[in-house]
Amino acid sequence: QSHHGRIPHTLTGCLTPRSMSILSATTRRSLLTFRHMSGTNARTMATIQEAVAKRVPEWRADIKDLRAKHGDKVLCEVTVDQAIGGMRGIKGMITETSLLDAEEGIRFRGYSIPECQKLLPCAPGGEEPLPEGLFWLLLTGEIPTEEEVKGLSAEFAKRAAIPAHAEEMICNFPKEMHPMTQFCSAVLALQTESSFAKAYMAGNVPKTEYWTYVMEDSLDLIAKLPAVAAMIYRNKFKEGKLIAADPSLDWGANYAHMCGYDDPAFVELMRLYLTIHTDHEGGNASAHATHLVGSTLSDPYLSFCGGMTALAGPLHGLANQEVLRWLIKFKEDLGDKEVTKDSIREACWATLNSGNVIPGFGHAVLRKTDPRYMCQREFALKHMPDDEMFKLVSTLYEVVPDVLNQTGKVKNPWPNVDAHSGVLLQYYGFTEAEYYTVLFGVSRAMGVLASLVVDRILGLPLERPKSLTTEWIRNNFEK
């Protein structure tokens, strides 16, 4: 950066997320902004299909070169503890859309969450990034222009219609059926629309073109999910009074509208929520399950459903619901006690000493506060600083890490994304915690389906790791 504060044009062409990581934060922000502005002016608006097609030869050449040069290199050693303990830390799969760093959190195609908030297009008058922009980034590796994001929003609106048989099925689900069960079932009902399944059964598509059909399915499915999810919400919690889509709205705003929420601040929260929950590299249960099922050449509908059944588990996507329930009970147990650091500390130790855990803290990979938590905290500080539940969450943020460190048993005592989202939704009247995982699933579609398209572009094979028996392990090491 020159002393005039301007960025030499020759620098912007050779920047990568990796090279920018060594620059100061101020310089990096300036470089990113300048490059984005330059690209916006110079680049002809493309459809997302055209933008991806342009990258295909490059990506295929790159992975071919990578295997030729480094195919026999060792990524990691695997211990018996890792094999038994959920394969934690084993480096054994490729996911191009995002990478999770233990110290700084998730990077989407090399960009941190704060960088994405700064660079990705927002809605007119809004401040939070549009989820469509992040989907473009995940799928193409490039920051989109405002016009490209508008075009993608319009593309989703054109594809959003739900077939009659699926709508009828959703409307006839029993009210007691869990929203995630309804969501997974509805996705399977949409599978009748799969372009990939039809093309594969016809038998006339070369492997090099699989990705085009997978991408068509992915765009169709993502476009339909807000209407599907809103229909489930209105049927279960709002007496079946459905709200028609508004095709003039962006993807996240339309979802909020169909659920019955048009408060501009809530719509901004929805955009933020849907953006930050999209992707968290490939090893988490929902992303891995989608990748695994997709590696069999099941179409995106079947693959995504596999991921969603994983997301429905209490140890994965149901965690946000569990955290909110815990917070409400925690506040009730405090009774008339004022929410202070001392009263919270005392209650936390009582929770731990009773054999229970404090949900919403810790992460399998992260070793610092989840940046997804931090951007939600910043939203709360701006829009709801005096809310009692936010004050509780904020005090927990100050107290719990020290309590957990004192136990000597926790590698990461810091809050994760689930520690905050429920409180934000509750503030705006979206109180049906049982539904929250569906929100998560709608967002996660963007990440796992973008990754599925890339899987087919790269020609990644059927996933088939080797399993062992405990007897084999004993025989091998106790000779």
Side-chain angles (χ1 to χ4, degrees), residues 100-106 280 362-372 411-412 415-416:
L100 182 57
D101 183 271
E103 298 300 320
E104 65 175 17
I106 194 67
H280 219 229
H363 191 275
V365 178
L366 281 170
R367 293 297 173 261
K368 287 189 176 179
T369 301
D370 192 331
R372 299 173 300 173
K411 292 182 179 179
N412 172 22
N416 58 48

mmCIF file of all heavy atoms in Angstrom, residues 100-106 280 362-372 411-412 415-416:
data_model
loop_
_atom_site.group_PDB
_atom_site.id
_atom_site.type_symbol
_atom_site.label_atom_id
_atom_site.label_comp_id
_atom_site.label_asym_id
_atom_site.label_seq_id
_atom_site.Cartn_x
_atom_site.Cartn_y
_atom_site.Cartn_z
ATOM 1 N N LEU A 100 -11.593 -25.104 7.685
ATOM 2 C CA LEU A 100 -11.717 -24.676 9.070
ATOM 3 C C LEU A 100 -10.347 -24.674 9.731
ATOM 4 O O LEU A 100 -9.676 -25.698 9.784
ATOM 5 C CB LEU A 100 -12.667 -25.613 9.820
ATOM 6 C CG LEU A 100 -12.952 -25.299 11.285
ATOM 7 C CD1 LEU A 100 -13.521 -23.905 11.443
ATOM 8 C CD2 LEU A 100 -13.905 -26.339 11.865
ATOM 9 N N ASP A 101 -9.948 -23.511 10.210
ATOM 10 C CA ASP A 101 -8.687 -23.362 10.927
ATOM 11 C C ASP A 101 -8.970 -23.336 12.427
ATOM 12 O O ASP A 101 -9.890 -22.646 12.878
ATOM 13 C CB ASP A 101 -7.996 -22.059 10.505
ATOM 14 C CG ASP A 101 -6.644 -21.896 11.176
ATOM 15 O OD1 ASP A 101 -6.607 -21.323 12.287
ATOM 16 O OD2 ASP A 101 -5.637 -22.341 10.599
ATOM 17 N N ALA A 102 -8.193 -24.086 13.178
ATOM 18 C CA ALA A 102 -8.452 -24.217 14.612
ATOM 19 C C ALA A 102 -8.361 -22.878 15.342
ATOM 20 O O ALA A 102 -9.015 -22.675 16.362
ATOM 21 C CB ALA A 102 -7.475 -25.207 15.240
ATOM 22 N N GLU A 103 -7.542 -21.959 14.824
ATOM 23 C CA GLU A 103 -7.320 -20.693 15.508
ATOM 24 C C GLU A 103 -8.200 -19.556 14.999
ATOM 25 O O GLU A 103 -8.608 -18.695 15.758
ATOM 26 C CB GLU A 103 -5.836 -20.294 15.384
ATOM 27 C CG GLU A 103 -4.879 -21.276 16.023
ATOM 28 C CD GLU A 103 -5.139 -21.452 17.524
ATOM 29 O OE1 GLU A 103 -5.426 -20.446 18.200
ATOM 30 O OE2 GLU A 103 -5.058 -22.587 18.017
ATOM 31 N N GLU A 104 -8.494 -19.529 13.700
ATOM 32 C CA GLU A 104 -9.234 -18.381 13.166
ATOM 33 C C GLU A 104 -10.621 -18.709 12.633
ATOM 34 O O GLU A 104 -11.364 -17.832 12.204
ATOM 35 C CB GLU A 104 -8.426 -17.677 12.080
ATOM 36 C CG GLU A 104 -8.184 -18.494 10.840
ATOM 37 C CD GLU A 104 -7.489 -17.690 9.748
ATOM 38 O OE1 GLU A 104 -6.928 -16.628 10.063
ATOM 39 O OE2 GLU A 104 -7.526 -18.133 8.588
ATOM 40 N N GLY A 105 -10.990 -19.978 12.636
ATOM 41 C CA GLY A 105 -12.338 -20.344 12.219
ATOM 42 C C GLY A 105 -12.457 -20.633 10.739
ATOM 43 O O GLY A 105 -11.468 -20.877 10.055
ATOM 44 N N ILE A 106 -13.686 -20.572 10.248
ATOM 45 C CA ILE A 106 -13.975 -21.004 8.887
ATOM 46 C C ILE A 106 -13.543 -19.952 7.871
ATOM 47 O O ILE A 106 -13.651 -18.748 8.113
ATOM 48 C CB ILE A 106 -15.486 -21.306 8.722
ATOM 49 C CG1 ILE A 106 -15.753 -22.074 7.432
ATOM 50 C CG2 ILE A 106 -16.322 -20.039 8.782
ATOM 51 C CD1 ILE A 106 -15.189 -23.462 7.406
ATOM 52 N N HIS A 280 -19.067 -25.658 6.608
ATOM 53 C CA HIS A 280 -18.086 -25.728 7.690
ATOM 54 C C HIS A 280 -17.115 -26.859 7.406
ATOM 55 O O HIS A 280 -16.935 -27.763 8.202
ATOM 56 C CB HIS A 280 -18.784 -25.908 9.043
ATOM 57 C CG HIS A 280 -18.151 -25.123 10.132
ATOM 58 N ND1 HIS A 280 -17.818 -25.652 11.352
ATOM 59 C CD2 HIS A 280 -17.769 -23.816 10.185
ATOM 60 C CE1 HIS A 280 -17.278 -24.727 12.119
ATOM 61 N NE2 HIS A 280 -17.233 -23.599 11.440
ATOM 62 N N GLY A 362 -17.468 -25.086 23.111
ATOM 63 C CA GLY A 362 -16.563 -26.115 22.611
ATOM 64 C C GLY A 362 -16.845 -26.471 21.172
ATOM 65 O O GLY A 362 -17.937 -26.233 20.657
ATOM 66 N N HIS A 363 -15.832 -27.002 20.511
ATOM 67 C CA HIS A 363 -15.959 -27.416 19.109
ATOM 68 C C HIS A 363 -14.899 -28.466 18.832
ATOM 69 O O HIS A 363 -13.811 -28.436 19.400
ATOM 70 C CB HIS A 363 -15.778 -26.221 18.171
ATOM 71 C CG HIS A 363 -16.158 -26.497 16.748
ATOM 72 N ND1 HIS A 363 -15.283 -27.070 15.852
ATOM 73 C CD2 HIS A 363 -17.324 -26.320 16.078
ATOM 74 C CE1 HIS A 363 -15.888 -27.212 14.683
ATOM 75 N NE2 HIS A 363 -17.130 -26.768 14.795
ATOM 76 N N ALA A 364 -15.223 -29.412 17.925
ATOM 77 C CA ALA A 364 -14.314 -30.523 17.639
ATOM 78 C C ALA A 364 -12.999 -30.053 17.026
ATOM 79 O O ALA A 364 -11.971 -30.708 17.182
ATOM 80 C CB ALA A 364 -15.002 -31.518 16.700
ATOM 81 N N VAL A 365 -13.021 -28.919 16.318
ATOM 82 C CA VAL A 365 -11.816 -28.443 15.633
ATOM 83 C C VAL A 365 -11.347 -27.104 16.190
ATOM 84 O O VAL A 365 -10.168 -26.912 16.477
ATOM 85 C CB VAL A 365 -12.068 -28.309 14.110
ATOM 86 C CG1 VAL A 365 -10.823 -27.771 13.411
ATOM 87 C CG2 VAL A 365 -12.467 -29.659 13.522
ATOM 88 N N LEU A 366 -12.272 -26.148 16.348
ATOM 89 C CA LEU A 366 -11.907 -24.800 16.771
ATOM 90 C C LEU A 366 -11.277 -24.774 18.156
ATOM 91 O O LEU A 366 -11.655 -25.550 19.032
ATOM 92 C CB LEU A 366 -13.144 -23.906 16.779
ATOM 93 C CG LEU A 366 -13.606 -23.358 15.435
ATOM 94 C CD1 LEU A 366 -14.973 -22.711 15.587
ATOM 95 C CD2 LEU A 366 -12.608 -22.360 14.885
ATOM 96 N N ARG A 367 -10.327 -23.871 18.343
ATOM 97 C CA ARG A 367 -9.704 -23.678 19.645
ATOM 98 C C ARG A 367 -9.819 -22.225 20.104
ATOM 99 O O ARG A 367 -9.130 -21.796 21.026
ATOM 100 C CB ARG A 367 -8.228 -24.107 19.586
ATOM 101 C CG ARG A 367 -8.058 -25.617 19.361
ATOM 102 C CD ARG A 367 -8.631 -26.431 20.502
ATOM 103 N NE ARG A 367 -8.642 -27.861 20.277
ATOM 104 C CZ ARG A 367 -9.685 -28.561 19.873
ATOM 105 N NH1 ARG A 367 -10.850 -27.944 19.633
ATOM 106 N NH2 ARG A 367 -9.623 -29.860 19.711
ATOM 107 N N LYS A 368 -10.680 -21.463 19.442
ATOM 108 C CA LYS A 368 -10.997 -20.094 19.839
ATOM 109 C C LYS A 368 -12.494 -19.875 19.625
ATOM 110 O O LYS A 368 -13.186 -20.739 19.097
ATOM 111 C CB LYS A 368 -10.174 -19.079 19.036
ATOM 112 C CG LYS A 368 -8.703 -19.026 19.433
ATOM 113 C CD LYS A 368 -7.998 -17.862 18.778
ATOM 114 C CE LYS A 368 -6.557 -17.771 19.262
ATOM 115 N NZ LYS A 368 -5.827 -16.641 18.616
ATOM 116 N N THR A 369 -12.980 -18.700 20.019
ATOM 117 C CA THR A 369 -14.399 -18.408 19.839
ATOM 118 C C THR A 369 -14.772 -18.514 18.362
ATOM 119 O O THR A 369 -14.095 -17.973 17.491
ATOM 120 C CB THR A 369 -14.725 -17.001 20.363
ATOM 121 O OG1 THR A 369 -14.391 -16.937 21.747
ATOM 122 C CG2 THR A 369 -16.200 -16.699 20.188
ATOM 123 N N ASP A 370 -15.855 -19.204 18.096
ATOM 124 C CA ASP A 370 -16.345 -19.385 16.737
ATOM 125 C C ASP A 370 -16.685 -18.024 16.129
ATOM 126 O O ASP A 370 -17.487 -17.275 16.690
ATOM 127 C CB ASP A 370 -17.605 -20.265 16.794
ATOM 128 C CG ASP A 370 -18.061 -20.775 15.446
ATOM 129 O OD1 ASP A 370 -17.811 -20.089 14.439
ATOM 130 O OD2 ASP A 370 -18.683 -21.860 15.413
ATOM 131 N N PRO A 371 -16.087 -17.654 14.990
ATOM 132 C CA PRO A 371 -16.424 -16.355 14.376
ATOM 133 C C PRO A 371 -17.893 -16.243 13.986
ATOM 134 O O PRO A 371 -18.429 -15.140 13.884
ATOM 135 C CB PRO A 371 -15.512 -16.287 13.144
ATOM 136 C CG PRO A 371 -15.084 -17.690 12.881
ATOM 137 C CD PRO A 371 -15.057 -18.374 14.204
ATOM 138 N N ARG A 372 -18.565 -17.374 13.801
ATOM 139 C CA ARG A 372 -20.004 -17.337 13.531
ATOM 140 C C ARG A 372 -20.768 -16.866 14.767
ATOM 141 O O ARG A 372 -21.800 -16.200 14.665
ATOM 142 C CB ARG A 372 -20.494 -18.709 13.072
ATOM 143 C CG ARG A 372 -19.838 -19.212 11.790
ATOM 144 C CD ARG A 372 -20.229 -20.647 11.488
ATOM 145 N NE ARG A 372 -19.835 -21.548 12.561
ATOM 146 C CZ ARG A 372 -20.170 -22.837 12.631
ATOM 147 N NH1 ARG A 372 -20.930 -23.374 11.677
ATOM 148 N NH2 ARG A 372 -19.765 -23.595 13.631
ATOM 149 N N LYS A 411 -10.659 -28.871 25.843
ATOM 150 C CA LYS A 411 -9.656 -28.286 24.950
ATOM 151 C C LYS A 411 -10.090 -26.923 24.426
ATOM 152 O O LYS A 411 -9.269 -26.040 24.223
ATOM 153 C CB LYS A 411 -9.399 -29.232 23.771
ATOM 154 C CG LYS A 411 -8.701 -30.525 24.150
ATOM 155 C CD LYS A 411 -8.451 -31.383 22.921
ATOM 156 C CE LYS A 411 -7.740 -32.672 23.291
ATOM 157 N NZ LYS A 411 -7.507 -33.534 22.099
ATOM 158 N N ASN A 412 -11.377 -26.761 24.165
ATOM 159 C CA ASN A 412 -11.887 -25.493 23.659
ATOM 160 C C ASN A 412 -13.068 -25.050 24.510
ATOM 161 O O ASN A 412 -14.172 -25.580 24.362
ATOM 162 C CB ASN A 412 -12.320 -25.617 22.190
ATOM 163 C CG ASN A 412 -13.039 -24.359 21.706
ATOM 164 O OD1 ASN A 412 -12.880 -23.288 22.279
ATOM 165 N ND2 ASN A 412 -13.827 -24.490 20.661
ATOM 166 N N PRO A 415 -17.416 -20.276 23.111
ATOM 167 C CA PRO A 415 -18.752 -20.527 22.545
ATOM 168 C C PRO A 415 -18.701 -20.815 21.055
ATOM 169 O O PRO A 415 -17.853 -20.297 20.328
ATOM 170 C CB PRO A 415 -19.511 -19.228 22.824
ATOM 171 C CG PRO A 415 -18.450 -18.182 22.961
ATOM 172 C CD PRO A 415 -17.271 -18.887 23.578
ATOM 173 N N ASN A 416 -19.617 -21.665 20.599
ATOM 174 C CA ASN A 416 -19.735 -21.973 19.176
ATOM 175 C C ASN A 416 -20.998 -21.322 18.614
ATOM 176 O O ASN A 416 -21.711 -20.609 19.309
ATOM 177 C CB ASN A 416 -19.719 -23.490 18.945
ATOM 178 C CG ASN A 416 -20.833 -24.208 19.682
ATOM 179 O OD1 ASN A 416 -21.997 -23.809 19.637
ATOM 180 N ND2 ASN A 416 -20.498 -25.282 20.394
#
